[in-house]
Amino acid sequence: MSTPDGARILVVEDDPGMSRALKRNLSGHGFQVRAAGTGRSGLEEFRRWHPDTVLLDLGLPDVDGLELVHDIRATASTPIVILSVRGAEQEKVKALNLGADDYLTKPFGVDELLARIRVALRHAARPASGNAPLFEAGEVRVDLERRRLQVGGRDVHLTPTMPTRC
Ligand code: CA
């Protein structure tokens, strides 16, 4: 299992306990994490920091999380993983329709969280924002910004000096 080095995760979640737990777990697995407790500060942080993935709680104190999905999608294709509560099927569907990539239903375990984030980061290798140098030839895709090589949709790990670690 690999964790992309220092990938930036923005957590938008108003529950302090949940936010702390996410921060602790994700930092412990090598991610850079920033947290915002409101939709407004989440959007500001998103624009300032350009995270690689957003974890977004839909029930925020100031704006509807769905609005945030919409606002982020207006300018960026950054993966968004919804943090939703059980029984909120309609909200989840709306969020996915608005362009969210995936969702986690609370309560969820660390392993599932990490798995979803890895999926989200893989999806981020799609040609997207236009500012990422990306080359494609047949099955081969090179993303210079993320220093990532994919062949046939699968990550190929490049180690510059230690081929035995492949
Ligand atoms: Ca909430």
Side-chain angles (χ1 to χ4, degrees):
M1 285 209 295
S2 70
T3 295
D5 286 334
R8 289 169 297 186
I9 314 290
L10 174 61
V11 175
V12 186
E13 163 68 78
D14 62 319
D15 180 315
M18 176 63 107
S19 182
R20 255 198 313 275
L22 287 168
K23 237 182 145 167
R24 191 178 51 235
N25 281 310
L26 292 172
S27 329
H29 283 85
F31 293 101
Q32 299 180 61
V33 190
R34 287 192 190 176
T38 64
R40 211 175 307 276
S41 60
L43 194 58
E44 275 170 23
E45 197 60 45
F46 177 82
R47 289 179 174 151
R48 213 174 11 232
W49 194 43
H50 304 294
D52 297 304
T53 294
V54 180
L55 294 184
L56 174 64
D57 175 33
L58 288 182
L60 295 167
D62 54 346
V63 300
D64 192 324
L66 291 172
E67 255 179 67
L68 215 59
V69 175
H70 179 265
D71 290 347
I72 289 172
R73 274 295 162 273
T75 61
S77 58
T78 310
I80 301 171
V81 178
I82 297 299
L83 307 175
S84 110
V85 289
R86 203 169 296 281
E89 296 301 316
Q90 277 313 308
E91 289 242 287
K92 269 190 296 211
V93 170
K94 277 186 201 159
L96 293 170
N97 283 340
L98 280 171
D101 296 83
D102 204 350
Y103 61 84
L104 279 158
T105 304
K106 299 172 186 176
F108 47 80
V110 176
D111 286 345
E112 190 184 4
L113 169 69
L114 293 171
R116 299 285 184 183
I117 287 175
R118 290 195 183 100
V119 169
L121 289 168
R122 266 206 302 278
H123 287 175
R126 290 174 302 202
S129 54
N131 56 11
L134 196 115
F135 303 103
E136 280 186 278
E139 294 266 278
V140 179
R141 172 196 294 255
V142 181
D143 183 339
L144 290 180
E145 193 181 57
R146 295 187 174 82
R147 285 169 300 179
R148 166 177 286 178
L149 168 67
Q150 289 188 318
V151 179
R154 306 183 105 148
D155 282 340
V156 175
H157 291 275
L158 298 178
T159 50
T161 55
M162 297 286 286
T164 51
R165 289 185 60 211
C166 289

